[in-house]
């Protein structure tokens, strides 16, 4: 009988025991000196992870709150945004803009593919009035990694256009050089590679983005980043913060610093490579073979097997939670995450559980074949 629960979904992700223990400590008051000192260290640590000299603002919300903040703090009704729509979360950029009366030009990208940066450049040339380009670093619904480095450098040439990046499942997984690549706004969330429960969102803005903030006329109160930045500079937040999560965040930052960013990226790359190769060894097809994100692996269910049944069997019989497909991919794929508090044995467990599940569902799998391939990679 399985007596453990395994969480291998792309958010929320596993939380390390020492982080859980830190959050279980007696809560401190958010206006007391103890919080001021803690938050000062958290602010500097976030800059390290975001690879930026600019302030990283910490919000009590999900990552979508930071996405909304990026729009309402830089644009006005009637402004134009260029949206890279290659999945559910690219689609979300368009929905947020629509809610606030921001006009959009949509680049529809086949799910499982990455956008061609040249197409972005062509749109900017044709429509010089575009004020923002919105893109995912890692599209969680498809497991695709977009080339935000090239896109950021293209947008950086435009004096009045900013590059807004949803790095919610990308930051802390693979290299994202916010300042060096000219990324004007980068957002993320706590429940991914930050190894925390849901409830915190992060946003950093460049000088170029802050200049647009001066002319932005969209309504904002809770998500007023100018007010938030003023308070952050005094090691406070504008409104009541998620104190226990910030206590846990401090521990997470120290863990990431101890491992080192480049080692964190290398670990994720190895786990992702092993997972992809193991799935291929089982005869399965990857959704994003050309531009995969190291945060998660999206896999087509084999012919005659429902992706939904794979997810349900893993959950109900093996107590392992992964993710299924969304919208047009519902029932067609399953998604295994390997980000944050993940190591080689999480991958081995995931691959072996997938093998057992496929056999249970009637797919002629050779047990151990995927595990063997994963071990060959992870053992080196």
């Amino acid at each position: 009988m399985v007596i453990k629960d395994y969480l291998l979904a792309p958010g929320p992700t596993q939380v390390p025991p020492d982080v859980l223990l830190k959050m279980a400590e007696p809560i401190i008051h958010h206006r007391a000196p103890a919080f001021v000192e803690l938050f000062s260290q958290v602010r500097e640590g976030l800059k390290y992870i975001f690879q930026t000299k600019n302030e990283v603002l910490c919000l009590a919300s999900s990552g979508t709150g930071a996405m909304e903040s990026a729009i309402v703090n830089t644009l006005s009704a009637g402004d134009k945004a260029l949206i890279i729509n290659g999945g559910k979360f690219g689609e979300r950029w368009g929905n947020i803009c629509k809610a606030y009366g921001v006009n959009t030009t949509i680049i529809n990208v086949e799910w499982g593919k990455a956008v061609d940066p040249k197409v972005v450049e062509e749109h900017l040339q044709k429509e010089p009035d575009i004020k923002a380009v919105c893109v995912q670093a890692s599209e969680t619904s498809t497991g695709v990694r977009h080339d935000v480095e090239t896109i950021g450098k293209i947008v950086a040439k435009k004096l009045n256009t900013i590059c807004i990046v949803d790095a919610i499942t990308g930051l802390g997984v693979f290299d994202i050089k916010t300042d060096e690549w000219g990324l004007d706004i980068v957002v993320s969330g706590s429940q991914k590679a930050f190894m925390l429960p849901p409830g915190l969102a992060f946003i950093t803005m460049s000088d170029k983005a802050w200049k647009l903030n001066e002319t932005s006329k969209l309504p904002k109160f809770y998500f007023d980043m100018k007010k938030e930045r003023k308070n952050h500079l005094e090691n406070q937040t504008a409104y009541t913060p998620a104190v226990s999560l910030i206590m846990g965040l401090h521990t997470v930052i120290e863990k990431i610093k101890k491992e080192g960013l480049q080692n964190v990226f290398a670990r994720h790359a190895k786990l992702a490579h092993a997972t992809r190769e193991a799935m291929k060894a089982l005869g399965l097809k990857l959704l994003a073979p050309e531009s995969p994100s190291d945060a998660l692996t999206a896999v087509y269910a084999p012919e005659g097997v429902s992706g939904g049944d794979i997810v349900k069997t893993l959950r109900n019989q093996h107590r392992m939670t992964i993710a299924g497909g969304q919208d047009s991919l519902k029932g067609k794929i399953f998604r295994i995450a390997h980000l944050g508090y993940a190591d080689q044995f999480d991958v081995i467990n995931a691959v072996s559980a997938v093998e057992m599940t496929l056999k249970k569902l009637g797919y002629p799998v050779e047990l151990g074949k995927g595990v063997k391939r994963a071990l060959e990679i992870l053992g080196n």
Side-chain angles (χ1 to χ4, degrees):
M1 178 182 291
V2 179
I3 59 172
K4 288 185 179 180
D5 290 312
Y6 299 89
L7 181 58
L8 296 172
T13 61
Q14 302 172 67
V15 180
D18 56 338
V19 177
L20 290 170
L21 288 171
K22 187 65 181 179
M23 292 187 294
E25 289 184 5
I27 197 166
I28 58 177
H29 194 276
H30 60 290
R31 304 303 185 203
F35 181 82
V36 170
E37 176 59 28
L38 176 78
F39 201 50
S40 173
Q41 295 175 28
V42 164
R43 286 174 54 225
E44 291 307 308
L46 286 171
K47 291 178 184 178
Y48 167 74
I49 296 171
F50 274 75
Q51 300 188 64
T52 182
K53 69 179 191 321
N54 297 307
E55 196 67 35
V56 180
L57 306 177
C58 188
L59 312 174
S61 81
S62 69
T64 302
M67 293 175 73
E68 183 165 331
S69 298
I71 299 301
V72 302
N73 281 275
T74 56
L75 303 179
S76 299
D79 283 348
K80 185 183 291 183
L82 180 64
I83 309 297
I84 314 303
N85 182 0
K88 278 299 285 186
F89 298 96
E91 182 181 87
R92 185 165 296 179
W93 279 128
N95 291 337
I96 293 170
C97 287
K98 183 179 179 181
Y100 284 98
V102 174
N103 297 324
T104 58
T105 295
I106 310 293
I107 299 177
N108 287 307
V109 183
E110 181 184 346
W111 286 31
K113 304 286 186 181
V115 68
D116 184 347
K118 290 180 181 178
V119 176
V120 175
E121 189 169 28
E122 288 169 2
H123 275 279
L124 291 175
Q125 290 171 349
K126 291 177 186 175
E127 302 176 73
D129 57 336
I130 289 172
K131 281 196 173 181
V133 176
C134 302
V135 63
Q136 271 58 42
S138 172
E139 174 54 68
T140 315
S141 64
T142 62
V144 165
R145 176 177 175 173
H146 290 296
D147 185 0
V148 295
E149 177 181 2
T150 301
I151 294 169
K153 290 177 178 178
I154 288 170
V155 177
K157 299 173 185 176
K158 304 292 181 179
L159 294 178
N160 300 310
T161 308
I162 59 172
C163 182
I164 305 177
V165 178
D166 165 7
I168 294 172
T169 52
L171 200 79
V173 174
F174 50 82
D175 209 1
I176 298 176
K177 300 182 187 298
T178 299
D179 291 354
E180 186 178 322
W181 295 353
L183 309 179
D184 296 294
I185 298 182
V186 176
V187 305
S188 195
S190 58
Q191 75 276 23
K192 310 288 185 174
F194 277 94
M195 302 180 279
L196 289 165
L200 287 181
F202 313 105
I203 178 171
T204 187
M205 297 170 60
S206 70
D207 291 341
K208 194 176 177 184
W210 282 113
K211 187 175 180 181
L212 276 183
N213 176 258
E214 295 173 7
T215 58
S216 171
K217 294 182 175 62
L218 289 179
K220 44 193 163 283
F221 180 79
Y222 184 76
F223 290 131
D224 184 338
M225 294 302 100
K226 186 175 182 180
K227 184 188 299 181
E228 200 60 71
R229 181 174 66 164
K230 179 178 181 293
N231 281 269
H232 271 59
L233 293 174
E234 298 172 357
N235 293 312
Q236 288 288 346
T237 56
Y239 307 102
T240 305
V243 176
S244 295
L245 286 172
I246 291 172
M247 291 168 65
L249 175 59
H250 181 270
T251 300
V252 167
I253 289 170
E254 292 307 306
K255 290 172 76 70
I256 291 174
K257 283 183 175 179
K258 184 176 180 180
E259 186 175 358
L261 269 183
Q262 294 306 317
N263 291 328
V264 170
F265 302 149
R267 170 168 56 85
H268 283 98
K270 193 169 188 177
L271 297 179
H273 179 51
T275 305
R276 292 192 292 263
E277 289 300 307
M279 293 299 105
K280 286 158 61 176
L282 294 175
L284 302 180
K285 181 183 175 184
L286 304 179
L287 175 63
E290 297 169 359
S291 302
S293 168
D294 288 341
L296 70 152
T297 297
V299 188
Y300 279 107
E303 188 174 351
V305 178
S306 165
D309 287 344
I310 293 172
V311 173
K312 288 177 185 176
T313 303
L314 282 166
R315 182 179 63 240
N316 296 337
Q317 296 193 19
H318 304 299
R319 293 176 67 167
M320 179 175 289
T321 299
I322 64 168
Q326 296 173 284
D327 284 2
S328 62
L329 291 176
K330 189 172 184 179
K332 298 179 181 178
I333 67 166
F334 59 94
R335 294 175 291 150
I336 303 170
H338 29 70
L339 74 162
Y341 187 52
D343 67 10
Q344 58 188 358
F345 296 107
D346 289 303
V347 169
I348 293 167
N349 283 334
V351 174
S352 62
V354 167
E355 290 184 356
M356 294 167 68
T357 295
L358 290 175
K359 190 171 184 65
K360 174 81 175 177
L361 295 174
Y363 178 69
V365 63
E366 182 183 333
L367 292 177
K369 192 171 184 180
V371 172
K372 179 177 182 293
R373 182 66 184 118
L375 286 171
E376 289 170 349
I377 294 167
L378 296 170
N380 292 329

